[in-house]
Amino acid sequence: MILIIDDDVAVRASLQLLLQGEGFATCEAADPDEALRMLAEPALALVLLDLNFSIETSGDEGMALLERIRAARPGLPVILVTGWGTIDLAVKGMKLGASDFINKPWENSHLLQSVRTLIDLKAKPEAPIGRRELDRRYQFGHIVGEDPQMLTLLETVGRVADTDAPVLIMGESGTGKELIAEAVHQNSRRRGKPFVKVNLGGISTSLFESEMFGHVRGSFTDARFDRVGRFETAHKGTIFLDEIGDLDASSQVKLLRVLQDRTYEVLGSSRTRTVDVRVVCATNRNLEEMVARGTFREDLLYRINLITLRLPALRERPKDIPLLVDFFLGNLKEIYGRPGLSVTREAARWLQGLPLPGNIRQLKNLVERTVLVSRGDALDVADFKSQYDASPVKSGTVQLPGVGTLTLEEVEVEMIRRALAFHKGRIAKAAVALGLTRSALYRRLEKYNLPYDEAAD
C-alpha cells in the first residue's frame, strides 16, 4: 500500500488514480497528524510526501514530517513531491533519508518508475546462493569468480538489475567495473535496447554538450553535420558513465539536469527533449571525499548512487586468481592456436601471492605476455616470474615524479606523447599500450591539443 500525503485534494485524487490504475493499493492523508496515524498500517510499502501544508513554501513542514516518518518506520521508502523544489531542498531531503525527489508537475512514467524501483528494492534479499544457482538465474557468463564477496555482489546485481535504480560501481582500476555495468544491463528489462558506454575522463569540457546531448549543423565552428548525442543513442536503454569522478564542475551541472529532469537540449537547438535511460556510473575515486573537498557535487552524488556496488580488489579474493588464469588461457588457446596451454599448480599458487595493483587487467596482461614468450605449453613459476620482473607495473617499482613536480594532467600528456613516439604515431597501438580505446585516446588528443597524424594509423 502507498500512502499519499498532500494537503491538496486534487493532487491526492490524481495520484490515487494513477497508482490504482497500475495496480497499487493507496491511502491518503491531508496533514501531518493524519499521516502519522496511518504509519501504523502494516501493509504500507511506500510514502509520497508533499513538503508544504500551508502557504509556507520553505519545505520545513515536510522535512519535519520526514524525520518523524523515518523515526517511526526506518525502512519505509519516502519519495518527496513538491512544486517548490530546489537542489538544496533535494539534498537536504536525501540527507534526512528520502529515497527520491520529484517536482510537480510530475511526469507519470518517471513517478511510476521511481515507485516500482523503490518497492522492488525494499524486498528482502534471499539467503546467500552459490555460483551455479546465480548462473542459472542470471546472465553472468563473462564474470569469473567464486569468492564470497563476489557472489554477494553478483546476487545484488541480479536483484537490482530489473529495477531502474541508478547504480554507482566503485572499485580500483582493473577490477572489472565495465563488466558489472554490462551485467546490470543484460539482466534488466532494457536488455534488448542500447547499452552506451561513455568514458567521461576522455571528454573535454568544450566538447561535453556535443558528445552527450548532440548538436545541430552550424551550432559552432566545424559543426558541419547534425550529431546525435550519447543520451539520445541510449534512449530506452542504459547509459554507462565511466570515470564520473573525472568530470569537471561545469559538466557536472549539465549532467545533473538530465539525470534529475530527464530532459536536455541539443546544442544549437532551443527545443527541450525528454529521455528515458537507466544510468550506471563507475569510478575509482572516493566521491564522498571529493564532495567534502568541494570537487564533486553532493546533489549529483545523491542522484547517481541509490545502489552502490563496491568491487573488491583482486588481492582481496586470491582464490579467484587461478579461475581467472584458466579463463584467460581458454581464450589464448584459440587466439594463438596452442590447445595444450596449461599452468602448473606451483605457478598458480605463486600468482596468488602477487599484490597485482593493476588487478584483473594486470593479471590478464601478465598471462598473455607469458604465453607469447614461453617456448613450452606448461607455464611454470619461472615463466611468469621473468615477465613479472620485466613489467614496470611491479608493486613499488614504478618510477613516478615527486609530489608537486607535475600535475596529473601533465603526467597523462607525457605518457600519451611517449606512447605515440614509441609506436611511431599509430593511434591504435598507442591506445592499447595506454589501456584506452581509440576513441578515448582521440578525445584526449583533442582535449590536450596534441598533434597526431591520422595517416600514420
Side-chain angles (χ1 to χ4, degrees), residues 17 47 49 57 97 197 224 273 277-278 307 313-314 346 387:
L17 284 172
V47 174
L49 172 61
T57 59
K197 307 173 189 176
R224 300 186 182 90
R273 304 190 185 189
V277 293
R278 168 75 169 287
I307 298 296
L314 192 53
E346 292 76 16
Q387 293 307 305

Side-chain angles (χ1 to χ4, degrees), residues 389-437:
D389 289 341
S391 171
V393 192
K394 277 176 53 182
S395 177
T397 65
V398 179
Q399 296 299 312
L400 295 174
V403 175
T405 308
L406 295 174
T407 66
L408 191 60
E409 282 195 353
E410 288 170 335
V411 173
E412 186 172 47
V413 167
E414 181 60 26
M415 288 305 300
I416 290 172
R417 284 179 174 150
R418 289 188 185 186
L420 286 172
F422 183 83
H423 292 288
K424 298 180 173 56
R426 293 193 290 273
I427 298 292
K429 288 185 176 294
V432 171
L434 292 166
L436 299 171
T437 62

Side-chain angles (χ1 to χ4, degrees), residues 83-98:
W84 303 91
T86 65
I87 289 176
D88 288 342
L89 204 59
V91 171
K92 183 179 179 182
M94 297 295 190
K95 284 182 175 179
L96 290 175

Side-chain angles (χ1 to χ4, degrees), residues 49-347:
L49 172 61
D50 184 31
L51 288 181
N52 299 294
F53 299 94
S54 65
I55 60 172
E56 175 66 45
T57 59
S58 67
D60 290 344
E61 296 165 313
M63 292 297 175
L65 180 54
L66 172 61
E67 289 188 90
R68 297 180 71 180
I69 291 172
R70 298 295 296 166
R73 298 281 297 270
L76 189 63
V78 179
I79 299 175
L80 304 179
V81 186
T82 180
W84 303 91
T86 65
I87 289 176
D88 288 342
L89 204 59
V91 171
K92 183 179 179 182
M94 297 295 190
K95 284 182 175 179
L96 290 175
S99 302
D100 203 352
F101 189 96
I102 294 175
N103 290 319
K104 297 177 184 175
W106 61 81
E107 182 186 334
N108 286 349
S109 61
H110 183 191
L111 188 141
L112 288 170
Q113 188 181 85
S114 182
V115 167
R116 290 194 191 98
T117 294
L118 292 170
I119 289 177
D120 287 347
L121 291 177
K122 186 173 178 288
K124 292 183 179 179
E126 301 176 10
I129 53 180
R131 182 60 201 248
R132 185 175 297 179
E133 179 63 16
L134 283 170
D135 288 337
R136 188 186 69 80
R137 297 185 189 184
Y138 309 112
Q139 296 183 41
F140 293 145
H142 294 294
I143 300 175
V144 178
E146 295 182 0
D147 181 89
Q149 291 182 81
M150 282 299 296
L151 296 184
T152 299
L153 183 138
L154 292 177
E155 191 277 331
T156 303
V157 169
R159 195 161 52 87
V160 305
D162 213 29
T163 73
D164 275 313
V167 175
L168 174 62
I169 306 170
M170 303 185 75
E172 296 178 8
S173 293
T175 49
K177 295 186 289 294
E178 184 176 318
L179 281 178
I180 295 297
E182 289 179 350
V184 171
H185 176 71
Q186 289 301 327
N187 289 281
S188 74
R189 291 186 289 261
R190 299 172 181 262
R191 65 179 67 90
K193 301 297 182 180
F195 177 71
V196 177
K197 307 173 189 176
V198 186
N199 186 329
L200 294 177
I203 300 178
S204 65
T205 303
S206 60
L207 293 176
F208 181 80
E209 285 185 272
S210 174
E211 286 279 343
M212 303 304 291
F213 312 130
H215 65 249
V216 297
R217 179 182 177 184
S219 56
F220 57 88
T221 305
D222 294 333
R224 300 186 182 90
F225 306 99
D226 290 354
R227 177 189 176 92
V228 175
R230 306 297 184 89
F231 272 96
E232 186 175 347
T233 303
H235 186 60
K236 296 295 183 182
T238 303
I239 188 165
F240 173 47
L241 304 177
D242 197 8
E243 297 186 24
I244 194 166
D246 294 351
L247 205 57
D248 65 274
S250 63
S251 299
Q252 289 178 33
V253 175
K254 295 165 187 173
L255 179 61
L256 178 63
R257 181 194 170 187
V258 70
L259 298 187
Q260 181 151 320
D261 300 336
R262 312 290 180 99
T263 62
Y264 66 96
E265 291 177 2
V266 173
L267 193 61
S269 170
S270 59
R271 184 166 67 90
T272 299
R273 304 190 185 189
T274 302
V275 67
D276 173 16
V277 293
R278 168 75 169 287
V279 179
V280 179
C281 301
T283 183
N284 59 8
R285 298 194 178 194
N286 188 319
L287 297 185
E288 288 86 357
E289 288 184 0
M290 292 180 67
V291 167
R293 293 197 305 267
T295 56
F296 197 84
R297 293 183 65 97
E298 188 176 28
D299 44 6
L300 179 57
L301 177 59
Y302 280 119
R303 185 54 62 184
I304 64 175
N305 76 336
L306 184 59
I307 298 296
T308 299
L309 302 174
R310 299 184 186 275
L311 270 172
L314 192 53
R315 62 183 172 277
E316 297 172 16
R317 51 183 186 113
K319 290 183 179 178
D320 282 342
I321 289 177
L323 300 178
L324 286 162
V325 172
D326 286 344
F327 179 78
F328 299 146
L329 281 185
N331 293 330
L332 295 172
K333 286 175 184 179
E334 296 184 16
I335 294 172
Y336 297 116
R338 295 174 64 180
L341 281 172
S342 64
V343 175
T344 66
R345 187 173 299 177
E346 292 76 16

Side-chain angles (χ1 to χ4, degrees), residues 4-52:
I4 302 165
I5 309 173
D6 199 298
D7 62 322
D8 190 330
V9 64
V11 170
R12 297 199 305 272
S14 177
L15 286 170
Q16 279 191 314
L17 284 172
L18 173 65
L19 294 167
Q20 290 174 1
E22 295 295 317
F24 295 106
T26 63
C27 55
E28 59 179 281
D31 57 63
D33 290 336
E34 187 179 0
L36 290 170
R37 287 195 297 271
M38 302 194 75
L39 288 179
E41 172 59 53
L44 210 55
L46 183 137
V47 174
L48 292 172
L49 172 61
D50 184 31
L51 288 181
N52 299 294

